[in-house]
Amino acid sequence: MSAALLVRALRDPASVEALRAAQWNALLAAAKAERLIATLAVRLEERAVPPAARAVLDDARADAEREAQQALWEADRAAFALRGTGVPPVLLKGAAYAAAGLEAAQGRFIGDLDILVPRAAMDQVERALLAAGWEWVKEDAYDDAYYRQWMHELPPLIHAERDRMIDVHHNILPLTARPRPDPQAMLADAVAAGEGLYVLSPEDRVIHAAAHMLADGDLQGGLRNLWDIHCLLRECDPADLDRRAERHGLARDVRQARRLAGAIYGAGTRLTLRDRLFIARLLARDGWGRETRKPLVFAFYLRSHLLRMPLPMLARHLFTKWRKGHRPQ
Amino acid sequence: MRHRLTLKIGPANFRIGSAWASPIAALRRLYAGYPDADGCIADFTVRLQPTGALRRWVRPSIFITGDHGLADAAPMSLAHGLLAAEMGMNLQMALGWRRHLLLHASSVEKDGRALVMTGESGSGKSTLAALLGERGWRFMGDEFALLDLTSGAILPFPRLVSLKNSAIDVVKGEVGEARMGPLLRGTAKGDIRHMVPRADAVARMGEGAMPALLLFPRFGHAKDERPVGQAEIFMRMTQASTNYVTLGQPGFAALTRFVQQVPARAIDFPDGEAAVAMVERLWEELA
């Protein structure tokens, strides 16, 4: 299992010094597939690495640095577009980590821009972004209505000139999910990150990352999300984290995120049977970058949908999507 | 993966894995004269995998992917496995290479200086490079020319030459059967046949050359020759580069220098012989 090789290299960078070429190939392929290659590059900065591997790592690192610069520019443009509305955009995930200069941002690839704004301001924000050159990606009326009725975000928008996507959130989980986080409290505690930008408080960052990974998705890219959590945990107060997680209905997910991060990237932790299933899913990647353990991966895919909505609603939704030609991978 | 091979082409190492034996066997035969890269750390992984669980055996269908993939890449039939492998390598370069400015161009070298030819697919740049490579020039590449960001040199990337439709017979008449790959009928671009570059192109694939002439060839028209303004050249080169935007300032600086220093012409020609004559004459006059 090459994901295990990747995890070991991140946890113990000295371990790569014993690798042979074939293992390097497996490590680099798994790291690229998990989008952790530039993080690995940062971790291996001081280590003796064969020149051929160093060249690959350097390229990845330069890519991540460029993406961070681009993400901050995009955040700046969004803040500029929203200036007239009086709504300060609170950055989430990658762009937030970069804006706040966090350890989690080092070597992190940053794709879309995610921002959190008050639900009451959504119409205003939408109008301001459309006026500033963002356009709808999805033309599909069903998808659009679905997003607006049930999701925690607007349908994605792309900037016409810069070709960059923005996700505008009013909550951190879909409205159909069982936990009911309180986005108003998160917005109230947001902290300034300079240049008119805001980010969540250190504790809320962990809560959001844990909610995103464990209460929402199918654990695709989970090793990267868990690396974020591993880094973010070091910057928050554990007691405060527990208190806040309780208030957002996410205490169980935050506790599990802590155990998983401890087991995979930290010093090790006592695990439940359920945790072991999650870890098996997280490590499902081979030395060619392919996903392995197909049945388990599919089970987590189904779980992600069940988390998002009650079963009758899920059945209706999947049937509609299936009729439109959508198939799970 | 079950079937695998590592290839070194110019400055890049590719680790290619396939669910089927035949694409790897074809690569092994055609790349036999290339340096042995087994046991090297690869820059890229290329994967030829079935589009679905059953499609390994039933109407085999290849999904081309690797470190970098395109979700909506069209699947290919196993009969075109060699082309799929070549496209897989191109895909990795186009989406992932960062060490040089990648120009979608062919290039050949003479007396230590390089001729670069760029144009749309079907413009004749591959055929022209292949013909020149048989007639006293060193073939450097037909898909990508790598522009060094600091020295301004063009570096070779001499993969197999991909010949399409009528170009196949033109070039085969010149090089003979032994250096030709299998005929792949009915691909998305018509019939395709690969050609193995001459041994000197492979032996000197680490050796760059300063660019001395840039041509924009166009096949299938009456003979004509036009100057091209620097602004237009710059725009066309940015469109012909897959990593110009990604490289940022160093890419801009390298391309600016290239455009300012290398004389350029657009040439139209009706056939290969006319094209070679035009190129030789322009090389004498301008390079």
Side-chain angles (χ1 to χ4, degrees):
Chain A
M1 260 316 117
S2 296
L5 198 61
L6 169 62
V7 162
R8 193 183 64 166
L10 288 169
R11 183 165 52 185
D12 171 22
S15 68
V16 303
E17 289 173 16
L19 297 183
R20 289 171 286 110
Q23 292 168 305
W24 269 109
N25 281 331
L27 170 62
L28 295 174
K32 285 178 188 172
E34 294 290 341
R35 290 182 60 77
L36 274 163
I37 179 84
T39 304
L40 183 67
V42 174
R43 293 284 287 164
L44 299 185
E45 199 176 357
E46 307 284 321
R47 299 289 157 186
V49 165
R54 177 67 74 197
V56 174
L57 293 170
D58 284 349
D59 284 353
R61 196 167 172 175
D63 271 354
E65 279 164 15
R66 180 181 44 79
E67 281 195 11
Q69 189 185 25
Q70 216 170 3
L72 289 177
W73 173 243
E74 207 54 32
D76 177 82
R77 292 296 81 197
F80 184 76
L82 297 184
R83 219 167 43 170
T85 65
V87 180
V90 175
L91 307 180
L92 300 174
K93 300 195 274 190
Y97 309 155
L102 304 181
E103 188 195 350
Q106 288 179 15
R108 193 186 193 281
F109 292 114
I110 306 173
D112 311 336
L113 175 65
D114 295 88
I115 62 171
L116 181 68
V117 299
R119 194 170 189 193
M122 289 297 267
D123 289 347
Q124 218 184 341
V125 167
E126 186 179 336
R127 275 198 304 275
L129 292 176
L130 290 173
W134 276 270
E135 296 174 341
W136 298 119
V137 189
K138 303 206 179 200
E139 296 293 330
D140 189 297
Y142 172 79
D143 284 342
D144 190 74
Y146 176 82
Y147 264 94
R148 285 169 193 279
Q149 189 175 2
W150 299 115
M151 294 297 280
H152 50 309
E153 59 190 334
L154 287 176
L157 288 155
I158 283 190
H159 195 275
E161 283 162 23
R162 295 190 301 276
D163 204 26
R164 301 281 294 182
M165 196 182 282
I166 187 169
D167 281 327
V168 182
H169 301 249
H170 57 78
N171 203 332
I172 63 165
L173 284 178
L175 305 179
T176 47
R178 230 156 298 157
R180 306 309 293 259
D182 176 4
Q184 293 313 319
M186 288 192 168
L187 286 169
D189 291 338
V191 294
E195 313 276 344
L197 300 172
Y198 292 81
V199 299
L200 297 176
S201 74
E203 291 73 26
D204 286 344
R205 283 175 218 146
V206 174
I207 293 167
H208 177 226
H212 177 67
M213 177 178 168
L214 298 172
D216 195 12
D218 59 3
L219 264 69
Q220 280 264 6
L223 280 181
R224 215 281 317 279
N225 294 327
L226 196 63
W227 179 261
D228 287 346
I229 293 171
H230 169 70
C231 296
L232 294 172
L233 275 169
R234 283 199 270 231
E235 300 180 44
C236 74
D237 174 59
D240 204 20
L241 176 61
D242 285 340
R243 214 168 25 246
R244 288 181 189 230
E246 201 69 57
R247 164 165 157 207
H248 293 295
L250 288 159
R252 193 177 84 128
D253 298 298
V254 168
R255 278 198 300 273
Q256 190 185 20
R258 255 186 187 154
R259 290 196 304 274
L260 294 176
I264 288 195
Y265 296 123
T269 328
R270 272 179 67 100
L271 294 172
T272 66
L273 189 62
R274 183 181 141 88
D275 292 340
R276 288 176 203 280
L277 271 177
F278 276 67
I279 287 175
R281 167 65 185 88
L282 287 170
L283 298 182
R285 184 74 67 183
D286 75 5
W288 287 85
R290 288 177 302 181
E291 210 158 48
T292 54
R293 301 173 179 165
K294 295 283 185 201
L296 184 65
V297 168
F298 186 67
F300 271 90
Y301 170 80
L302 283 183
R303 171 184 176 271
S304 75
H305 277 75
L306 281 169
L307 286 171
R308 289 199 149 191
M309 44 190 128
L311 196 54
M313 188 178 168
L314 172 62
R316 202 164 58 233
H317 173 68
L318 287 181
F319 180 65
T320 308
K321 298 295 278 185
W322 182 81
R323 245 183 15 201
K324 288 171 179 289
H326 180 82
R327 302 285 184 276
Q329 288 187 330
Chain B
M1 300 190 79
R2 276 267 290 288
H3 308 281
R4 56 183 72 182
L5 176 67
T6 306
L7 287 178
K8 179 173 178 57
I9 299 166
N13 283 325
F14 299 87
R15 179 176 63 138
I16 303 152
S18 168
W20 303 272
S22 60
I24 298 295
L27 288 177
R28 240 183 244 292
R29 179 171 83 76
L30 295 169
Y31 282 101
Y34 282 64
D36 185 6
D38 200 31
C40 287
I41 295 175
D43 294 295
F44 297 114
T45 289
V46 177
R47 304 198 309 258
L48 304 182
Q49 60 193 47
T51 50
L54 286 174
R55 301 302 287 274
R56 180 188 299 250
W57 299 281
V58 185
R59 288 186 296 127
S61 179
I62 306 177
F63 177 62
I64 306 167
T65 188
D67 294 329
H68 304 274
L70 296 174
D72 54 357
M76 291 178 63
S77 83
L78 184 53
H80 298 157
L82 171 63
L83 179 61
E86 289 284 305
M87 285 171 66
M89 285 188 271
N90 279 343
L91 184 66
Q92 304 312 310
M93 283 301 275
L95 298 180
W97 192 252
R98 299 288 180 261
R99 289 169 229 169
H100 307 94
L101 184 71
L102 273 183
L103 300 172
H104 185 58
S106 67
S107 55
V108 290
E109 176 258 7
K110 193 190 243 180
D111 304 327
R113 295 180 308 155
L115 162 65
V116 180
M117 294 171 280
T118 184
E120 305 280 305
S121 183
S123 64
K125 62 182 187 310
S126 287
T127 317
L128 202 42
L131 287 177
L132 292 169
E134 303 301 314
R135 300 181 182 187
W137 297 70
R138 168 169 63 114
F139 173 81
M140 293 174 80
D142 86 310
E143 183 76 27
F144 291 122
L146 313 180
L147 177 61
D148 192 284
L149 296 172
T150 46
S151 73
I154 294 290
L155 299 181
F157 185 63
R159 283 169 43 256
L160 303 179
V161 185
S162 156
L163 300 164
K164 298 171 198 88
N165 304 316
S166 60
I168 296 174
D169 286 334
V170 173
V171 175
K172 193 186 73 182
E174 194 103 1
V175 310
E177 270 297 325
R179 277 170 46 211
M180 300 294 287
L183 176 63
L184 309 173
R185 282 189 195 281
T187 76
K189 290 188 174 175
D191 294 349
I192 287 187
R193 228 178 143 179
H194 292 92
M195 182 202 100
V196 182
R198 281 162 54 105
D200 66 322
V202 177
R204 295 171 64 194
M205 72 184 191
E207 202 180 301
M210 289 306 285
L213 180 62
L214 169 68
L215 294 177
F216 295 95
R218 212 162 60 141
F219 163 75
H221 295 264
K223 272 204 323 196
D224 192 20
E225 179 202 323
R226 293 176 304 281
V228 193
Q230 287 191 354
E232 186 186 342
I233 298 172
F234 191 90
M235 287 309 294
R236 285 174 76 164
M237 299 304 271
T238 59
Q239 284 160 6
S241 172
T242 56
N243 65 358
Y244 168 72
V245 174
T246 323
L247 289 176
Q249 208 264 334
F252 172 77
L255 188 56
T256 306
R257 182 167 56 174
F258 178 91
V259 170
Q260 284 172 343
Q261 293 180 352
V262 182
R265 287 290 185 278
I267 55 167
D268 292 356
F269 48 85
D271 56 61
E273 292 308 319
V276 170
M278 284 176 94
V279 169
E280 295 282 5
R281 181 176 54 75
L282 285 169
W283 183 258
E284 289 301 318
E285 288 172 17
L286 297 171

